Amino acid sequence: MIPYYNLFQHGGKIVHAIVTTINKNEVIVDTETEWGTNIPFEYLIIATGSSHNKPAKMTADSKEEGIAEIIAQRDAVKNANKILIIGGGPVGIELAGEIASVYQDKEVALVHSEGHLLTDQFPKKLSDLLTKQLNELNVKLIFGEKIIFPSSGIGDGLSPLTLETDKGTRIDSDVQFVAFGAKPNTEVIKTLDQSLIEQNTTLVKVKPTLQLEHDDYAHIFALGDITNVKETKLAYRAGLHADVVAKNIIALINNKNLAEYKPGPEVIFIPIGKVLYFFCFNLLMRSF
Ligand SMILES: Cc1cc2nc3c(=O)[nH]c(=O)nc-3n(C[C@H](O)[C@H](O)[C@H](O)COP(=O)(O)OP(=O)(O)OC[C@H]3O[C@@H](n4cnc5c(N)ncnc54)[C@H](O)[C@@H]3O)c2cc1C
């Protein structure tokens, strides 16, 4: 979707491919036309991010397929009367707010396993405010219940279904969106060294310098959603990581001291329809 042709000012090359293996000084990639090509490196930055259910992140490999995915989802919402959103984190809240504010004639239900929106990590004041906003948009909120997924799954979520929660609530819907279950894309790092992956989180272990946490791989960095840095996973943080990584590669080349990444305060933006909530933990809460 985002063209990369202006990425490098002085040389550089973009390879549109899937990295299948990471070795200590090369990666192996599959392109559309060639499998198993090797690309050698002196320094490597791994930024493979995380996978989410559609529509949060798409699975298409090309712009055309991606646009087709979005159109199918948009049309399904347009034609639906009842929309079910499973998961009341930032993604589910934003999606419910968007749909309910555009289509006031549709029934939007949001099921969340916790007793309130978001989790206990977030201040209660924020979840109360978001609950009030969704209530005003007539979003039906069901807290403390979990949807039981049929063994065959829910397909693309674009067909009518009746689902049940663990507490026996039955919910009819024409369209379903799964808004939980982000998974870090760290499988490929296991091809380099399985011990680099945290067992419980499947995040990659990094040093404060964002080098992989193993002295054999001082020339390999990781950034963004895949890292085990203790902070919420956000795009702007990936950008902050990138600044540290870029500095540190130059420092390694010049034999200088490396910089460390220090997580800043927690910040979150949650748009509900046309209202945007900005929350900076321990500081202030504003809506625009
Ligand atoms: C619905 C939603 C809303 C969000 N809103 C915000 C927001 O408002 N503000 C904010 O700051 N953050 C937001 N985020 C979080 C933000 O999207 C992520 O934190 C950010 O995209 C992480 O960047 P990244 O570079 O680590 O990974 P990604 O953006 O996930 O990029 C990783 C890329 O690597 C590719 N890749 C994976 N494996 C391979 C492989 N083996 N070979 C080649 N390529 C590979 C993937 O296809 C992908 O293109 C949101 C996330 C979601 C899901």
Side-chain angles (χ1 to χ4, degrees), residues 17-19 47-50 52 56-57 91 185 224-225 233-236 238:
I18 304 282
V19 174
T48 43
S50 50
H52 296 249
K57 284 199 182 170
V91 171
N185 297 322
D225 282 10
K233 305 300 177 198
L234 289 167
Y236 85 92

Side-chain angles (χ1 to χ4, degrees), residues 17-78:
I18 304 282
V19 174
T20 56
T21 309
I22 302 175
N23 295 324
K24 201 172 164 187
N25 293 105
E26 63 170 10
V27 293
I28 312 289
V29 304
D30 288 346
T31 68
E32 254 173 353
T33 50
E34 261 183 51
W35 286 23
T37 309
N38 79 313
I39 304 179
F41 62 80
E42 284 173 73
Y43 297 95
L44 176 71
I45 304 166
I46 308 172
T48 43
S50 50
S51 303
H52 296 249
N53 292 294
K54 292 180 199 175
K57 284 199 182 170
M58 52 187 60
T59 47
D61 281 333
S62 71
K63 182 173 175 177
E64 292 70 29
E65 288 169 39
I67 291 172
E69 262 183 31
I70 293 170
I71 290 175
Q73 284 157 351
R74 191 188 58 193
D75 289 348
V77 170
K78 211 173 183 176

Side-chain angles (χ1 to χ4, degrees), residues 110-256:
L110 186 152
V111 179
H112 189 41
S113 56
E114 305 271 334
H116 51 80
L117 288 174
L118 301 170
T119 62
D120 287 336
Q121 279 173 298
F122 294 86
K124 186 169 178 303
K125 199 174 167 190
L126 177 63
S127 86
D128 288 348
L129 191 77
L130 294 166
T131 302
K132 183 169 167 277
Q133 287 290 314
L134 291 184
N135 281 333
E136 282 168 10
L137 288 169
N138 292 321
V139 174
K140 185 175 178 195
L141 298 173
I142 302 168
F143 293 137
E145 302 193 33
K146 280 185 183 174
I147 291 287
I148 302 167
F149 285 87
S151 53
S152 53
I154 60 165
D156 60 8
L158 305 184
S159 310
L161 271 181
T162 300
L163 295 169
E164 205 170 305
T165 70
D166 55 349
K167 305 241 167 95
T169 310
R170 284 168 70 83
I171 303 165
D172 297 325
S173 57
D174 302 311
V175 174
Q176 310 79 34
F177 290 110
V178 180
F180 69 89
K183 290 187 199 76
N185 297 322
T186 49
E187 268 308 297
V188 70
I189 303 173
K190 290 187 186 165
T191 61
L192 175 69
D193 187 334
Q194 209 150 354
S195 73
L196 292 165
I197 306 302
E198 279 186 356
Q199 273 191 353
N200 53 342
T201 63
T202 71
L203 295 165
V204 63
K205 299 175 199 166
V206 288
K207 297 180 182 179
T209 53
L210 300 177
Q211 290 163 299
L212 299 187
E213 203 185 81
H214 191 306
D215 289 343
D216 284 355
Y217 312 124
H219 60 307
I220 304 182
F221 293 80
L223 62 80
D225 282 10
I226 55 171
T227 61
N228 71 337
V229 177
K230 298 229 174 326
E231 60 186 5
T232 45
K233 305 300 177 198
L234 289 167
Y236 85 92
R237 292 198 195 283
L240 298 176
H241 295 178
D243 290 342
V244 172
V245 169
K247 275 190 196 131
N248 282 347
I249 290 178
I250 293 167
L252 282 177
I253 292 168
N254 295 323
N255 238 339
K256 296 265 167 60

